[in-house]
Amino acid sequence: MSGMTLSDLRAILAIADKGSFRGAAKALEIAVSSLSHQVANVEKRVGVRLFNRTTRSVSLSEAGEALVRHIRPALDQIDAALEAVDHLRATPMGVLRLNTSEGGAERVLPLVLDFLASYPDMKVDLVTEGRLVDIVAEGFDAGLRLEDVIPKDMISVSLGQPESFVLVASPTYLADKQLPVSPGDLLVHECIRARLPSGSLIAWELERNGEALTVDVKGRLIAGSTDLSILAARQDAGIAFVSLRSVQEDIDSGRLIQLLPDWTPPYPGIALFYPNRRLPSAGLRAFIDHVHAWRKAHR
């Protein structure tokens, strides 16, 4: 088509999928100005406008819709062919882009470092952010998140390391108070609430023998993160609801006391997840196999 390249076709498809030049440029990892110039050159060569642009939005023109309708399956076939060739490579190489949370990154870093030691030709771009993203649309090979938030249309592989949220408070805070013996007793205590990266408050969800409930606790302090709520609990501000991993040393040392342990059972932890594609890249395939081996070794 008059000198149009594969890069041009991918650029058009990215803009169509993202609905903006900025979003497409981010996914393609190029400057917005470069992308705009590239599309302008394509439209000049084909002699027709592919996008309708306003100051607020970008949408496909009729010609653009027709082009995208035809090139999408063609590009899918090209990607499948390239993945098939990559899959046959004896030694995986290249960059593996993984998305996770900051807390998740701390948990999986030993796994990632062990993978890099095993595959010297591989690189890992471990991107952390609070929000759960569409890993396909954002250009990631895979994600690492808590099992219960992984989209149902993804393949997941558990790392086999259960997590647990626990209730803790300092001995000084509890010294002149009656210890809670049931979830309802929390309502008369100072409870330190914490926010998720999304801005919503973490729910105090408790469970025992199949009975699950959410306690609408009260408290004068709302912390911007669970780390801050832990610091507040250490300084006698009240009861915090935080991950066991983050306060295990405090509990072992007696700096914090765990409360209602029978109401905070473990739940499935972090899992690797990736799209249900026919042929993962050699690098992703190697990482999937490494996760299976890691889980077996650390069970």
Side-chain angles (χ1 to χ4, degrees):
M1 178 182 284
S2 187
M4 190 178 295
T5 67
L6 187 60
S7 173
D8 294 333
L9 298 179
R10 292 192 187 281
I12 293 168
L13 198 57
I15 298 168
D17 289 340
K18 296 296 184 181
S20 73
F21 277 76
R22 185 173 299 278
K26 181 179 179 181
L28 295 170
E29 297 184 335
I30 61 175
V32 177
S33 58
S34 298
L35 179 60
S36 180
H37 183 69
Q38 182 179 14
V39 172
N41 284 338
V42 169
E43 291 179 327
K44 183 177 180 180
R45 288 199 299 270
V46 300
V48 64
R49 183 173 291 277
L50 300 175
F51 295 98
N52 298 315
R53 305 169 179 81
T54 70
T55 56
R56 295 186 177 182
S57 66
V58 176
S59 62
L60 286 166
S61 66
E62 183 178 356
E65 289 180 354
L67 180 61
V68 167
R69 188 165 56 249
H70 286 87
I71 67 174
R72 189 183 295 278
L75 286 177
D76 287 343
Q77 289 182 354
I78 291 172
D79 287 339
L82 292 174
E83 287 179 357
V85 172
D86 189 49
H87 188 70
L88 296 175
R89 183 186 295 132
T91 304
M93 62 185 300
V95 179
L96 190 66
R97 298 192 73 233
L98 304 175
N99 183 278
T100 187
S101 64
E102 288 191 12
E106 294 178 5
R107 293 167 176 78
V108 305
L109 186 58
L111 164 65
V112 170
L113 293 178
D114 193 63
F115 172 74
L116 290 173
S118 301
Y119 295 92
D121 293 329
M122 287 296 302
K123 298 178 181 178
V124 173
D125 183 4
L126 190 61
V127 178
T128 62
E129 48 194 322
R131 65 190 180 99
L132 181 64
V133 305
D134 182 338
I135 60 170
V136 175
E138 298 288 339
F140 291 98
D141 295 290
L144 292 151
R145 298 278 176 168
L146 292 176
E147 287 191 53
D148 58 0
V149 302
I150 293 176
K152 301 301 182 183
D153 61 343
M154 293 284 171
I155 297 175
S156 65
V157 181
S158 172
L159 270 61
Q161 299 173 333
E163 300 282 345
S164 180
F165 259 70
V166 294
L167 296 158
V168 293
S170 70
T172 300
Y173 168 78
L174 295 169
D176 58 350
K177 298 175 181 64
Q178 186 172 354
L179 294 180
V181 295
S182 69
D185 294 338
L186 295 172
L187 298 176
V188 299
H189 281 271
E190 277 290 333
C191 293
I192 307 162
R193 303 298 302 272
R195 291 191 184 278
L196 293 165
S198 64
S200 60
L201 291 174
I202 293 177
W204 288 35
E205 297 174 340
L206 308 179
E207 181 182 346
R208 186 180 68 176
N209 300 328
E211 178 187 359
L213 51 85
T214 300
V215 184
D216 186 17
V217 296
K218 311 300 178 184
R220 291 176 295 160
L221 176 62
I222 297 177
S225 68
T226 54
D227 287 343
L228 283 175
S229 65
I230 293 170
L231 289 175
R234 289 172 181 162
Q235 297 179 49
D236 316 320
I239 300 174
F241 187 54
V242 295
S243 71
L244 176 59
R245 182 187 299 270
S246 63
V247 292
Q248 186 67 69
E249 291 185 4
D250 292 284
I251 294 172
D252 293 342
S253 67
R255 185 161 52 185
L256 292 176
I257 296 173
Q258 184 177 354
L259 307 169
L260 301 178
D262 53 339
W263 280 94
T264 53
Y267 56 86
I270 291 177
L272 170 73
F273 68 99
Y274 55 95
N276 186 11
R277 296 184 295 192
R278 188 169 63 251
L279 286 173
S281 67
L284 178 56
R285 182 71 260 170
F287 190 71
I288 294 168
D289 293 342
H290 199 80
V291 168
H292 282 291
W294 175 272
R295 173 175 177 167
K296 183 176 181 180
H298 292 79
R299 184 171 294 169

